[in-house]
Amino acid sequence: MSDITQQRTLSTQIPGPRSAELQQRKLATVSDGVGTGLPVYVERAEGGILRDVDGNQLIDLASGIAVTTVGNRNPRVMEAVRRQVEDFTHTCFMVTPYEEYLQVCEALAELTPGDHAKKSALFNSGAEAVENAVKIARHATGRTAVVAFEHGYHGRTNLTMALTAKNMPYKDGFGPFAPEVYRAPMAYPYRWPTGPKQCADEAFEAFTSTVHAQVGEHNTAAVIIEPIQGEGGFIVPPEGWLRRVSEWCTEHGILLIADEVQSGFCRTGDWFACEHEGVVPDLMTTAKGIAGGMPLAAVTGRAELMDAVHGGGLGGTYGGNPVACAAALASIESMREDDLCARAKEIEAILTARLQTLADKTGVIGDIRGRGAMVAAELVSDLDLKTPAAELTAAVNKACHARGVVTLTCGTYGNVFRFLPPLTISDELLGEAMDVLDEAFAEALG
Ligand SMILES: *Cc1c(COP(=O)(O)O)cnc(C)c1O
């Protein structure tokens, strides 16, 4: 069935002539507002390999931004999608429902943390899930304010732009933004002014005093947080901080929304990143890795909160599309059967060991962090001053691309190199990608 070998092969420059031609058409027909990080046009993909229209085979360390966690052309996903397309593609769950939607909600109730009664609602994208989580939180609490964190990323719709911290490219010129959104300092150990040891205590204090002084606990419907921040730089808060935030929210009747759109579904070595801290959020948003590449998102939460909304208050034409639901059920089965949480931990061990060696050799990696197959290196031009090395990061990224490895950067300062391989990638391919990274650093550092 498979005709893609799990091997990197380069037969032209990257991008090749056929990709370059398509990119010209892209420039003529697609809005410049939609960027392409690496303009090689993909023809087919499988496991950890993307094959482009010039016949090059690239190693995939991005998974389409943490989406194809179970690998492209995952056999279970392909079969489930095929079967569902044969049956029907759409009825709209709000018009005439179908069982697959229920099965996804049942799976979410079982997999997400906490043994309380849970319910879900399904949507199309992460941003849509976040919007709806906020709608539910406001309705359930009768309060309006929402607190998000520095370096947070929650999407590109109007409300989620307001929740997102970074101006360029996400917010610049797109205001005015949705009101009643407030921002608290993030527990960012590497850049905490008094050092990582003080970070948990001081960041917790800064968070509570910000909410108390600038918002008022009794006005606050929800606090939204990515348990490991994604676009903001794979920032892992110090041990215990998230648990204290969670407990403090409960004390004040504030709902905790865990945005697990990027960190969920085995990515960090647990089903969800907040499990690592023993945190049980009131509401959780998921998307990206949930459905093997099909567009699906969910809000899952305490049944009484999810039911606080009047009938018809939540929904959308395509939300919980049956093909996407079938793909989600097959993806979840693959994660379970193939124990992809365990695989994520193996990937973490391989990546962090290689990055540590690279750090020792180059002296430009200030911090290596992340969990599971969500690992990053923060690049600095001075280890003591921690000066962000954004240009170097971009140069290394480009050098990886030229060698046929699909890499991504992130971070508020554009100086974080992030790794999000499919969990089905082989050790050999991962090792080869890291060899390429070594070469890319050598080239960029001259
Ligand atoms: C990607 C992302 C979103 C937005 O998801 P879309 O599907 O792109 O709308 C929201 N939150 C987090 C944490 C994300 O990583």
Side-chain angles (χ1 to χ4, degrees):
M1 185 161 68
S2 140
D3 64 355
I4 295 196
T5 51
Q6 291 297 298
Q7 263 174 345
R8 178 177 64 121
T9 52
L10 300 184
S11 40
T12 69
Q13 277 204 317
I14 302 289
R18 182 85 185 101
S19 275
E21 225 175 277
L22 290 170
Q23 187 65 4
Q24 284 309 307
R25 275 168 59 195
K26 184 266 180 190
L27 295 175
T29 197
V30 180
S31 162
D32 287 352
V34 182
T36 44
L38 168 54
V40 301
Y41 283 73
V42 175
E43 186 181 78
R44 197 155 200 182
E46 176 160 340
I49 290 286
L50 307 177
R51 190 172 71 201
D52 74 10
V53 290
D54 291 289
N56 300 299
Q57 297 203 158
L58 290 80
I59 302 177
D60 182 12
L61 294 188
S63 304
I65 318 186
V67 170
T68 52
T69 300
V70 296
N72 254 297
R73 294 186 90 244
N74 176 293
R76 287 192 186 90
V77 173
M78 284 198 292
E79 180 53 29
V81 166
R82 216 180 267 131
R83 261 204 322 260
Q84 186 56 44
V85 169
E86 296 253 336
D87 288 346
F88 64 97
T89 53
H90 176 82
T91 61
C92 184
F93 189 78
M94 303 182 303
V95 178
T96 47
Y98 38 87
E99 186 178 356
E100 291 77 7
Y101 191 116
L102 314 183
Q103 290 173 301
V104 171
C105 296
E106 286 161 358
L108 284 164
E110 193 198 320
L111 294 171
T112 54
D115 48 18
H116 52 282
K118 288 175 229 161
K119 288 193 174 185
S120 293
L122 304 183
F123 304 96
N124 302 293
S125 70
E128 208 187 340
V130 170
E131 291 253 356
N132 279 282
V134 171
K135 278 170 68 173
I136 293 162
R138 284 177 169 156
H139 216 295
T141 59
R143 304 174 181 179
T144 54
V146 179
V147 176
F149 289 87
E150 287 174 356
H151 312 287
Y153 179 86
H154 301 287
R156 298 171 189 259
T157 58
N158 187 263
L159 173 59
T160 59
M161 277 193 294
L163 294 168
T164 291
K166 191 177 178 180
N167 180 48
M168 269 309 267
Y170 307 123
K171 305 172 76 164
D172 197 58
F174 294 133
F177 302 110
E180 285 304 297
V181 171
Y182 301 87
R183 197 165 308 286
M186 176 63 191
Y188 186 171
Y190 179 62
R191 293 194 179 276
W192 194 257
T194 52
K197 279 208 176 62
Q198 311 292 329
C199 180
D201 285 347
E202 290 181 13
F204 176 70
E205 171 60 27
F207 159 71
T208 57
S209 65
T210 300
V211 180
H212 180 74
Q214 298 181 31
V215 194
E217 293 86 341
H218 60 286
N219 296 314
T220 307
V223 166
I224 183 165
I225 177 118
E226 303 157 83
I228 295 181
Q229 288 184 321
E231 308 302 300
F234 281 23
I235 298 164
V236 186
E239 196 71 39
W241 177 82
L242 189 60
R243 207 157 44 240
R244 287 174 74 184
V245 168
S246 166
E247 284 162 6
W248 186 84
C249 285
T250 304
E251 241 170 72
H252 294 279
I254 298 168
L255 303 182
L256 184 72
I257 305 173
D259 183 351
E260 294 252 14
V261 167
Q262 191 158 157
S263 56
F265 285 100
C266 298
R267 178 53 58 185
T268 64
D270 290 297
W271 279 94
F272 301 97
C274 59
E275 287 173 59
H276 186 83
E277 284 270 316
V279 165
V280 178
D282 299 295
L283 298 169
M284 181 188 283
T285 54
T286 50
K288 292 198 168 99
I290 190 174
M294 297 298 288
L296 188 72
V299 181
T300 303
R302 297 183 185 280
E304 68 274 17
L305 303 173
M306 297 298 292
D307 284 341
V309 180
H310 50 270
L314 305 175
T317 307
Y318 295 111
N321 170 275
V323 183
C325 285
L329 295 169
S331 296
I332 291 168
E333 192 191 334
S334 284
M335 291 173 194
R336 264 206 189 107
E337 294 296 315
D338 303 339
D339 198 0
L340 294 186
C341 281
R343 179 61 188 151
K345 288 179 181 148
E346 291 171 8
I347 291 173
E348 172 183 347
I350 295 170
L351 289 178
T352 51
R354 290 294 300 260
L355 288 171
Q356 192 54 57
T357 307
L358 192 60
D360 296 342
K361 196 165 75 188
T362 59
V364 294
I365 295 177
D367 195 25
I368 298 165
R369 57 180 180 249
R371 270 206 304 275
M374 185 172 181
V375 166
E378 179 159 355
L379 274 54
V380 291
S381 55
D382 184 311
L383 286 174
D384 295 323
L385 297 175
K386 302 180 181 176
T387 320
E391 276 177 27
L392 175 65
T393 308
V396 174
N397 200 36
K398 227 176 126 204
C400 286
H401 293 174
R403 287 167 171 77
V405 177
V406 182
T407 46
L408 293 172
T409 62
C410 64
T412 298
Y413 315 109
N415 66 325
V416 180
F417 218 84
R418 63 169 150 171
F419 302 90
L420 289 167
L423 302 182
T424 54
I425 197 169
S426 67
D427 286 1
E428 295 71 33
L429 221 46
L430 203 55
E432 187 180 334
M434 297 312 280
D435 294 342
V436 167
L437 187 71
D438 289 345
E439 290 170 29
F441 265 89
E443 179 188 304
L445 290 166

